[in-house]
Amino acid sequence: MLPYQQLEIDNFIAQHVVKIRSEMEEHRKANRRRITAAVEDVIVNKLRAKEEEVDRMVKLNQALHEKVKCLSMENQIWRDLAQSNEATVTTLRTNIEQVTRHRARGADNAQSCCSSNNGGEEEDNNVNNGGNWCRKCGKEESCVLLLPCRHLCVCTKCGLGLNICPVCKSTKNASLVVNNKC
């Protein structure tokens, strides 16, 4: 082979190598672009999913805050009601203690005013049985305290329709059941 032929072959091979290198570089760039686009698509999809999840969490958080507000208000209402009931219980307990002390101090007077007036024998029977009978019907044990006179002299049935104390004839303002047996 002649030297100029060898030179032509070398030039041809060199040109072919340059052409193959540039084609390979173009293929690499195209592959990088495809891979980059695919990765970007995956990342964008994941970001959208995360944004949707964050939106759901924000909405859930708002709903939970509203629920907490409602429960807090309900809790305050129950607390106020409990305090009101405690005050009522305290007042009633004080009233019962006053009635009990008054009853203990005036047991003899209460016994005579709350017992039936049907005769000595029946009155002794009432005292011996440990009960004071209703001054209106005489059939049930007296367990209603009439206010303001504080006479314990009628049963619950008679106390409902009663406006005047059968003992002292004063007008009844209120009544209180003081015996659990009724």
Side-chain angles (χ1 to χ4, degrees), residues 5 28 30 34 38 44 48 53 84 86 97 103-104 111 120 130 138 150 168 171 179-180:
Q5 287 178 339
R28 281 187 202 142
R34 279 192 303 250
V44 165
R48 276 192 202 124
E53 186 177 346
S84 172
E86 286 176 10
E97 288 173 0
R103 191 173 186 192
Q111 186 65 36
R150 296 184 182 174
C168 66
T171 303
N179 192 349
N180 290 337

Side-chain angles (χ1 to χ4, degrees), residues 33-169:
R33 282 192 296 263
R34 279 192 303 250
I35 290 172
T36 303
V39 168
E40 285 176 354
D41 286 345
V42 169
I43 290 172
V44 165
N45 288 339
K46 284 188 178 183
L47 282 174
R48 276 192 202 124
K50 290 297 180 182
E51 286 174 353
E52 290 172 0
E53 186 177 346
V54 166
D55 288 343
R56 281 194 312 271
M57 290 299 154
V58 166
K59 289 177 183 175
L60 180 62
N61 192 24
Q62 289 173 345
L64 289 175
H65 277 292
E66 288 298 318
K67 186 70 173 174
V68 166
K69 278 183 188 177
C70 289
L71 290 174
S72 178
M73 289 178 6
E74 187 177 331
N75 183 29
Q76 186 61 42
I77 290 169
W78 283 110
R79 186 177 293 138
D80 292 345
L81 182 63
Q83 288 174 348
S84 172
N85 287 343
E86 286 176 10
T88 302
V89 166
T90 303
T91 302
L92 290 174
R93 186 173 289 137
T94 302
N95 289 345
I96 289 173
E97 288 173 0
Q98 288 175 352
V99 167
T100 305
R101 281 194 302 265
H102 179 72
R103 191 173 186 192
R105 274 188 264 137
D108 294 334
N109 290 341
Q111 186 65 36
S112 64
C113 77
C114 295
S115 297
S116 171
N117 284 336
N118 294 337
E121 184 180 311
E122 196 170 311
E123 193 168 324
D124 290 340
N125 236 356
N126 288 342
V127 173
N128 291 339
N129 291 337
N132 296 318
W133 299 100
C134 176
R135 291 289 296 260
K136 189 165 181 186
C137 70
K139 297 176 183 175
E140 300 285 331
E141 187 175 347
S142 60
C143 59
V144 176
L145 182 73
L146 301 178
L147 298 174
C149 66
R150 296 184 182 174
H151 285 118
L152 180 66
C153 58
V154 291
C155 65
T156 53
K157 290 177 189 173
C158 295
L160 291 175
L162 192 67
N163 291 325
I164 296 176
C165 175
V167 175
C168 66
K169 306 296 184 215

